Amino acid sequence: MTENHLIPQRVLFGEPAVTAPSLSPSGTHLAYLAPHEDDVAVWVGSLADRDFRPLRDLRARYVEDYLWARDGRHLLYLADHDGDECEHLMAVDLRTGKVRDLTPFPGVHTRVVGLQTRVPDQVLVEMNLEDSGRNDLYRIDLAGARREPVAAEPGLSGWLTDPDLRVRAARRQLPGGGLEVLARDDEYSAWRVLLELDYEDATATSVLGFTGDGKDLLLLSPLGADTVRLLRLSTVTGAVDVLYEDPAYDVTSATVHPVTGQVDLVTVERDRTELIGLTADTRARLARIRESTRGDVTSLGRDLDDRWWLVQDNFDRGPAAFWLFDRVRGTGEVLFTHQPELDGYRLSAVEPFDFTARDGLQVHGYLTFPPGDRAGLPAVLNVHGGPWERNRWGFRAESQWLANRGYLTIEVNYRGSTGYGRRFELAGDREWGGRMQDDLIDAVRHVVGRGFADPGRIAVYGTSYGGYAALVGAAFTPEVFRCAVAVAAPANLRTFVESVPDYWRPIGDRLARRIGDPRTDADFLWSRSPLSRVADIRIPILLAYGGNDPRVPVSEAEQLVKALRANDVRYEYLYFPGEGHGFRKPANVFAFRAAAEKFLAENLGGRWERP
């Protein structure tokens, strides 16, 4: 174990040795992403002989996701161009190596709607064509790539297929941010409304899919409670049954047994992620798995016969491990770890903490200390993006990077974050730059009050919403922070909300309620914009933006840089023309990280890696 040595950026932020493993439907083969010839490729091989080889025609630099088709012969993946988020659905034939574009349209945003075991040679996709204002459905034959339009009512989205790949459920966004869940008996029947949710319930509701018999829908929703529960909705009567709930934390996922079609696993995000078995069999299997693993276990899939389970063991002080468990033999083995080189370095524990905000709300988060002393440390408030997301326990390269450089890392699940119930999430509505920011400041004061952090050496850092919060920290409370790092950060909330991507339009009313409506709240949005208080910024700022970002256009950076220059504020501006919302090209990732850690070292006094 290397004690307190500088962990190279290439180890922390280089391409993982293995990531995103996935079992084939038969359980005989495995795919994963891994480096190959200075790039990233999908590797595929038989679990019997472990002869994994890269698919040379499938590069993953701009692949958002990949998945097995139900025929076990094709791999499907979404790919965009330089981060523009106009994804095409691609298919690679594992026998021939041939790659085809299944959605060859310009400016298309694609989502896979359905893959079903009973119809293994087809896939159903939803496409949002640029400037069309529509979400079109197509059934695509994998062998011939033939596309067949599927009739869909205008205004509907989020379609779901039953086990026979028939489109039988959908969602409709309602004015004011509400939501309807609809169903029909077959693809030729009329739609009927099963459930209508108001804005407060709709924001945290997701429709997972059909049960194995095709009669009921599975939902994650706070309907009838504060926390998100797992619900079963009858497509015949509209009756709702509660399958699992937690009184304090949200259920975040559910897994259906591949044979019975019934839910047998759920995930609850507490201070630690907990995978919970709902049957005697799954509870027994999880108990055996936990005898071998050392962190939080998450399910990555299983085969159609439910013999093989692929799980990830998430550990804060080491690389994630990918395990394969055999139900028949009752044994398990580590297939890979995501970054074996991390084993040679001392990593820091991630410690849950909580505090009471100034208005009495209980707020949770995580602290990651550098090795050694725990008093009077320079600190980085690392704000998560979203903002409708949350920080989780486990290994995170960014937290370990900052701790290794000598900083106490403060991560806060401020109000508006998910996982803590409906009231906590809704408490963030119209609080960008308001009470959400107060929670961050209160977290800093809590940590300073406990003697952990030096109040004169604290930075604020983040991407997307986190970048916005960093700019707000610099503009609204410059006395709290020594410096700020903001990536892909909105600077003017009026122009930001007005310029959301086309595929966000269906949730436009919801965004207006959560952030503010430019048509009626122009002055309010301006008052919460860092650009409105740029004259108050007196701390150094590092900015980084991608030229192809569809969510936070580079015009946000241009407005801010012009104002900073006019007010003689010390700033650095990194512009990456071939990147989107965040950086993916290795040269750009390392260029940003090198600039950021040098910037932090100059202002907080920590360590940095010389080029």
Side-chain angles (χ1 to χ4, degrees):
M1 182 68 66
T2 303
E3 292 291 330
N4 207 26
H5 285 199
L6 208 66
I7 305 175
Q9 288 185 35
R10 64 169 183 81
V11 175
L12 286 165
F13 299 109
E15 296 294 352
V18 171
T19 190
S22 178
L23 272 176
S24 68
S26 65
T28 59
H29 287 71
L30 184 80
Y32 57 85
L33 301 180
H36 177 63
E37 295 180 352
D38 298 322
D39 208 332
V40 172
V42 173
W43 294 61
V44 180
S46 165
L47 284 168
D49 58 26
R50 307 297 170 90
D51 183 20
F52 299 107
R53 299 186 181 186
L55 298 176
R56 292 180 176 272
D57 291 331
L58 177 55
R59 291 293 183 263
R61 183 70 61 211
Y62 298 109
V63 171
E64 293 296 325
D65 197 7
Y66 82 94
L67 64 162
W68 288 92
R70 292 299 180 264
D71 63 2
R73 174 174 174 173
H74 291 88
L75 276 174
L76 308 176
Y77 64 100
L78 292 168
D80 70 359
H81 177 70
D82 284 351
D84 63 5
E85 298 188 9
C86 291
E87 299 99 343
H88 288 227
L89 181 63
M90 313 295 290
V92 56
D93 187 322
L94 298 180
R95 295 180 188 172
T96 66
K98 182 179 180 181
V99 178
R100 288 166 297 160
D101 186 349
L102 302 182
T103 58
F105 305 105
V108 64
H109 179 78
T110 304
R111 183 178 76 92
V112 174
V113 172
L115 290 165
Q116 296 292 348
T117 304
R118 294 182 191 173
V119 193
D121 57 347
Q122 294 182 2
V123 57
L124 198 73
V125 300
E126 173 186 286
M127 288 184 285
N128 182 291
L129 298 176
E130 194 173 36
D131 300 324
S132 71
R134 302 193 320 271
N135 291 315
D136 297 330
L137 277 180
Y138 288 87
R139 181 176 284 107
I140 301 176
D141 173 72
L142 292 173
R146 293 185 300 273
R147 290 178 296 276
E148 173 192 351
V150 177
E153 182 177 324
L156 297 189
S157 63
W159 289 280
L160 294 163
T161 67
D162 67 9
D164 294 311
L165 205 63
R166 298 177 300 176
V167 181
R168 289 188 43 231
R171 302 190 303 264
R172 178 187 286 128
Q173 301 294 334
L174 298 176
L179 177 71
E180 287 179 338
V181 180
L182 304 95
R184 58 185 179 181
D185 296 329
D186 54 50
E187 290 187 335
Y188 306 100
S189 302
W191 291 101
R192 60 184 185 276
V193 177
L194 292 179
L195 191 63
E196 184 174 328
L197 302 165
D198 61 17
Y199 163 77
E200 286 76 13
D201 285 326
T203 53
T205 293
S206 56
V207 187
L208 302 180
F210 280 89
T211 53
D213 57 11
K215 295 180 179 179
D216 299 325
L217 286 169
L218 298 172
L219 281 71
L220 293 177
S221 176
L223 179 68
D226 179 52
T227 57
V228 173
R229 306 184 292 177
L230 176 63
L231 307 176
R232 181 174 58 214
L233 173 65
S234 171
T235 61
V236 177
T237 67
V240 176
D241 295 319
V242 179
L243 300 183
Y244 190 84
E245 63 182 327
D246 184 280
Y249 298 92
D250 292 341
V251 179
T252 56
S253 70
T255 303
V256 173
H257 192 285
V259 178
T260 67
Q262 300 302 307
V263 179
D264 60 357
L265 289 170
V266 295
T267 301
V268 178
E269 295 281 3
R270 302 184 175 111
D271 282 344
R272 302 273 298 266
T273 300
E274 297 192 34
L275 185 62
I276 300 166
L278 301 186
T279 65
D281 178 63
T282 54
R283 286 192 290 270
R285 293 171 75 171
L286 285 173
R288 290 195 296 271
I289 289 171
R290 291 191 176 107
E291 291 173 356
S292 303
T293 54
R294 57 181 180 171
D296 293 350
V297 174
T298 54
S299 173
L300 299 180
R302 42 188 166 170
D303 68 315
L304 294 177
D305 293 329
D306 197 35
R307 174 179 177 176
W308 301 99
W309 279 26
L310 183 65
V311 304
Q312 181 170 325
D313 179 16
N314 301 301
F315 184 55
D316 58 345
R317 283 160 289 154
F322 303 112
W323 286 77
L324 185 67
F325 286 89
D326 183 346
R327 176 173 59 85
V328 174
R329 297 177 179 172
T331 59
E333 62 172 316
V334 175
L335 296 175
F336 318 99
T337 62
H338 95 277
Q339 187 58 281
E341 283 189 79
L342 287 169
D343 287 327
Y345 294 93
R346 179 180 178 182
L347 300 179
S348 297
V350 177
E351 304 176 19
F353 82 107
D354 62 86
F355 62 94
T356 302
R358 65 189 68 179
D359 64 354
L361 190 68
Q362 197 72 10
V363 180
H364 297 259
Y366 301 91
L367 299 176
T368 307
F369 287 86
D373 194 9
R374 294 168 66 97
L377 296 166
V380 177
L381 173 65
N382 188 6
V383 187
H384 74 71
W388 307 291
E389 244 293 344
R390 61 160 288 174
N391 294 306
R392 292 171 176 83
W393 184 90
F395 173 84
R396 288 188 61 231
E398 201 159 63
S399 301
Q400 296 296 337
W401 168 58
L402 293 169
N404 179 258
R405 270 42 174 178
Y407 310 114
L408 167 62
T409 306
I410 309 167
E411 297 174 297
V412 185
N413 287 328
Y414 47 83
R415 71 190 69 204
S417 301
T418 58
Y420 300 92
R422 175 176 56 173
R423 285 192 295 270
F424 189 88
E425 183 176 343
L426 292 175
D429 283 6
R430 296 176 65 85
E431 294 297 344
W432 285 44
R435 288 188 175 91
M436 294 165 75
Q437 196 74 17
D438 290 345
D439 291 345
L440 300 174
I441 301 301
D442 291 348
V444 170
R445 290 172 176 165
H446 171 80
V447 173
V448 169
R450 294 192 62 184
F452 295 146
D454 177 354
R457 293 189 295 162
I458 298 175
V460 57
Y461 174 107
T463 298
S464 193
Y465 176 84
Y468 162 81
L471 294 180
V472 171
F476 292 21
T477 54
E479 71 281 359
V480 175
F481 301 107
R482 176 74 70 86
C483 62
V485 179
V487 181
N492 181 340
L493 290 189
R494 287 191 302 197
T495 55
F496 166 67
V497 177
E498 288 171 343
S499 62
V500 297
D502 286 337
Y503 60 89
W504 283 9
R505 299 296 177 188
I507 59 170
D509 284 353
R510 193 178 299 175
L511 287 175
R513 290 191 64 160
R514 306 202 87 166
I515 305 173
D517 190 334
R519 297 165 297 185
T520 58
D521 299 321
D523 291 341
F524 168 75
L525 289 170
W526 178 245
S527 73
R528 296 291 179 85
S529 299
L531 199 59
S532 73
R533 300 270 293 273
V534 71
D536 295 329
I537 297 176
R538 56 178 184 267
I539 63 173
I541 295 179
L542 173 63
L543 304 171
Y545 288 80
N548 293 335
D549 191 341
R551 306 185 197 185
V552 182
V554 73
S555 57
E556 293 290 311
E558 292 167 349
Q559 295 178 73
L560 182 60
V561 167
K562 182 178 179 181
L564 292 173
R565 187 181 299 121
N567 285 275
D568 199 28
V569 176
R570 179 188 153 201
Y571 73 92
E572 297 178 36
Y573 175 37
L574 303 178
Y575 171 67
F576 299 103
E579 295 284 10
H581 195 64
F583 313 134
R584 294 184 287 193
K585 296 179 180 179
N588 295 337
V589 170
F590 292 128
F592 165 71
R593 296 293 174 187
E597 70 174 41
K598 184 173 185 291
F599 177 83
L600 291 171
E602 290 172 347
N603 288 283
L604 301 184
R607 307 190 301 173
W608 62 288
E609 182 182 359
R610 270 65 174 175

